[in-house]
Short mmCIF file of all heavy atoms in Angstrom, two decimals:
data_model
loop_
_atom_site.label_atom_id
_atom_site.label_comp_id
_atom_site.label_asym_id
_atom_site.label_seq_id
_atom_site.Cartn_x
_atom_site.Cartn_y
_atom_site.Cartn_z
N MET A 232 3.73 8.04 -5.44
CA MET A 232 4.38 8.41 -6.70
C MET A 232 3.88 7.57 -7.86
O MET A 232 3.69 8.07 -8.97
CB MET A 232 5.91 8.27 -6.57
CG MET A 232 6.66 8.85 -7.76
SD MET A 232 6.44 10.63 -7.93
CE MET A 232 6.63 10.85 -9.70
N SER A 233 3.64 6.29 -7.62
CA SER A 233 3.13 5.44 -8.70
C SER A 233 1.72 5.87 -9.10
O SER A 233 1.37 5.82 -10.29
CB SER A 233 3.14 3.97 -8.27
OG SER A 233 2.38 3.76 -7.10
N LEU A 234 0.92 6.32 -8.14
CA LEU A 234 -0.41 6.82 -8.47
C LEU A 234 -0.32 8.09 -9.31
O LEU A 234 -1.04 8.26 -10.30
CB LEU A 234 -1.21 7.08 -7.19
CG LEU A 234 -2.61 7.69 -7.38
CD1 LEU A 234 -3.48 6.82 -8.27
CD2 LEU A 234 -3.28 7.92 -6.03
N VAL A 235 0.58 8.97 -8.91
CA VAL A 235 0.79 10.21 -9.68
C VAL A 235 1.21 9.88 -11.11
O VAL A 235 0.72 10.48 -12.07
CB VAL A 235 1.85 11.10 -8.99
CG1 VAL A 235 2.27 12.24 -9.92
CG2 VAL A 235 1.29 11.67 -7.69
N MET A 236 2.12 8.93 -11.27
CA MET A 236 2.58 8.57 -12.60
C MET A 236 1.48 7.94 -13.43
O MET A 236 1.37 8.18 -14.64
CB MET A 236 3.81 7.66 -12.51
CG MET A 236 5.03 8.37 -11.95
SD MET A 236 6.48 7.30 -11.73
CE MET A 236 6.97 7.02 -13.44
N LEU A 237 0.65 7.12 -12.80
CA LEU A 237 -0.51 6.56 -13.50
C LEU A 237 -1.41 7.66 -14.02
O LEU A 237 -1.87 7.64 -15.16
CB LEU A 237 -1.30 5.65 -12.56
CG LEU A 237 -0.88 4.19 -12.47
CD1 LEU A 237 -1.58 3.52 -11.29
CD2 LEU A 237 -1.19 3.46 -13.76
N ILE A 238 -1.64 8.65 -13.18
CA ILE A 238 -2.51 9.76 -13.56
C ILE A 238 -1.87 10.62 -14.64
O ILE A 238 -2.53 11.08 -15.58
CB ILE A 238 -2.88 10.60 -12.32
CG1 ILE A 238 -3.77 9.76 -11.38
CG2 ILE A 238 -3.58 11.89 -12.71
CD1 ILE A 238 -3.95 10.36 -10.02
N ASN A 239 -0.55 10.81 -14.55
CA ASN A 239 0.15 11.60 -15.56
C ASN A 239 0.13 10.95 -16.94
O ASN A 239 0.37 11.61 -17.95
CB ASN A 239 1.60 11.85 -15.14
CG ASN A 239 1.73 12.89 -14.04
OD1 ASN A 239 2.74 12.94 -13.36
ND2 ASN A 239 0.72 13.73 -13.86
N LYS A 240 -0.14 9.65 -16.99
CA LYS A 240 -0.23 8.95 -18.27
C LYS A 240 -1.55 9.26 -19.00
O LYS A 240 -1.67 9.00 -20.19
CB LYS A 240 -0.14 7.44 -18.06
CG LYS A 240 1.23 6.95 -17.63
CD LYS A 240 1.24 5.45 -17.41
CE LYS A 240 1.13 4.69 -18.72
NZ LYS A 240 1.23 3.22 -18.52
N ILE A 241 -2.51 9.82 -18.27
CA ILE A 241 -3.84 10.04 -18.86
C ILE A 241 -3.81 11.26 -19.77
O ILE A 241 -3.71 12.39 -19.32
CB ILE A 241 -4.90 10.24 -17.76
CG1 ILE A 241 -4.96 9.01 -16.86
CG2 ILE A 241 -6.27 10.51 -18.39
CD1 ILE A 241 -5.84 9.19 -15.64
N GLN A 242 -3.89 11.03 -21.07
CA GLN A 242 -3.91 12.12 -22.05
C GLN A 242 -5.03 11.94 -23.07
O GLN A 242 -5.31 12.86 -23.83
CB GLN A 242 -2.56 12.21 -22.76
CG GLN A 242 -1.41 12.55 -21.81
CD GLN A 242 -0.10 12.78 -22.52
OE1 GLN A 242 -0.06 13.11 -23.70
NE2 GLN A 242 1.00 12.61 -21.80
N THR A 243 -5.64 10.76 -23.09
CA THR A 243 -6.74 10.50 -24.02
C THR A 243 -7.87 9.80 -23.27
O THR A 243 -7.69 9.32 -22.14
CB THR A 243 -6.28 9.60 -25.18
OG1 THR A 243 -5.93 8.30 -24.65
CG2 THR A 243 -5.06 10.19 -25.89
N GLU A 244 -9.02 9.68 -23.91
CA GLU A 244 -10.14 8.95 -23.32
C GLU A 244 -9.78 7.49 -23.11
O GLU A 244 -10.19 6.86 -22.13
CB GLU A 244 -11.38 9.06 -24.24
CG GLU A 244 -12.03 10.44 -24.24
CD GLU A 244 -12.63 10.79 -22.88
OE1 GLU A 244 -13.05 9.87 -22.15
OE2 GLU A 244 -12.66 11.98 -22.55
#
Side-chain angles (χ1 to χ4, degrees):
M232 189 64 209
S233 58
L234 176 57
V235 168
M236 292 177 72
L237 273 168
I238 292 168
N239 285 160
K240 290 178 71 176
I241 301 172
Q242 297 186 23
T243 65
E244 288 294 330

